[in-house]
Amino acid sequence: MEVGPLARMIVGVAKGDERISKYVTTFLKNGNLPIKVLFSTVGRTAARAIETELMSDVMLEWVDELASNVAHGDLSTWTEFNFDHVSKEAQGFGMEEAPRGGLGHWIKIKDGKVANYQAVVPSTWNAAPRDYKGRMGAYESSLIGTKVANPDQPLEILRTIHSFDPCIACAVHIIDTNGKELGVYKVDPIGGTSRA
């Protein structure tokens, strides 16, 4: 399961989006890499760079469009909304694709006040355990088949998890096939790794 920039790049290529396909193909060609490399730590990391380059180029078009709109008198900076017409009892949700993956917000309003608000952020989706059907989360499925050269320093595992750019403090627990814990490694989002 891929999420975030890599998912956007893969879906774009699969749908035949010319711009995305051009950027992905150029990356693969310049690196002399097969397309299967996209489904890896390298692929997730590269997808962020590819998407950044693509967005930089597209922003130039957006700035030109904005300048044209302003030149033709469109000076609005936001969509006006009359909050007086919001029900005193309401609920809603919003979903968006953020840099790390899917982002969801849910809200309930009671007596004109927020009664419950929940955000499920991309790192929560990515780090999720197996679901009710036993399907693996993104982190777990990305580690299947990963070869670890030194179990006392599982750098391959840490690189793979870091390729998702987690926005959480986390630890990697190394266990054997019998469930015996072999080591715990705390990952400091600022840049350090230590054996716990």
Side-chain angles (χ1 to χ4, degrees):
M1 174 191 325
E2 296 303 337
V3 296
L6 181 53
R8 290 189 288 273
M9 295 301 103
I10 291 169
V11 169
V13 170
K15 288 183 73 175
D17 182 288
E18 289 181 29
R19 190 184 309 237
I20 291 173
S21 296
K22 175 186 144 201
Y23 283 88
V24 172
T25 302
T26 300
F27 164 76
L28 294 172
K29 183 179 176 187
N30 289 345
N32 195 26
L33 298 167
I35 196 162
K36 70 179 183 177
V37 78
L38 292 176
F39 298 94
S40 69
T41 300
V42 170
R44 277 183 295 282
T45 304
R48 281 187 175 78
I50 293 166
E51 188 171 66
T52 299
E53 181 181 19
L54 189 150
M55 287 294 109
S56 296
D57 291 346
V58 171
M59 276 196 274
L60 294 173
E61 295 171 21
W62 292 338
V63 168
D64 289 344
E65 185 180 339
L66 176 63
S68 175
N69 288 347
V70 169
H72 290 92
D74 182 356
L75 303 177
S76 64
T77 57
W78 66 295
T79 302
E80 294 185 30
F81 184 81
N82 185 348
F83 288 94
D84 292 334
H85 294 296
V86 174
S87 172
K88 300 289 184 195
E89 308 286 326
Q91 61 182 12
F93 68 92
M95 300 290 285
E96 178 62 50
E97 187 66 19
R100 289 182 177 94
L103 170 64
H105 292 265
W106 290 264
I107 188 169
K108 287 186 181 178
I109 298 171
K110 186 171 183 169
D111 297 325
K113 296 178 184 174
V114 175
N116 187 43
Y117 188 87
Q118 181 180 10
V120 179
V121 300
S123 292
T124 304
W125 294 112
N126 296 341
R130 292 183 185 207
D131 69 9
Y132 71 99
K133 290 185 176 180
R135 294 176 293 208
M136 292 182 239
Y139 289 179
E140 183 179 1
S141 64
S142 72
L143 293 171
I144 301 299
T146 300
K147 291 182 174 120
V148 177
N150 181 354
D152 290 330
Q153 294 183 340
L155 296 177
E156 300 83 358
I157 292 172
L158 294 172
R159 284 184 187 123
T160 298
I161 299 302
H162 278 175
S163 73
F164 285 91
D165 191 23
C167 187
I168 55 175
C170 62
V172 175
H173 297 256
I174 309 296
I175 58 173
D176 67 16
T177 55
N178 297 318
K180 179 184 173 201
E181 191 169 87
L182 302 175
V184 176
Y185 301 85
K186 294 192 184 262
V187 180
D188 175 1
I190 304 302
T193 302
S194 63
R195 184 167 184 153

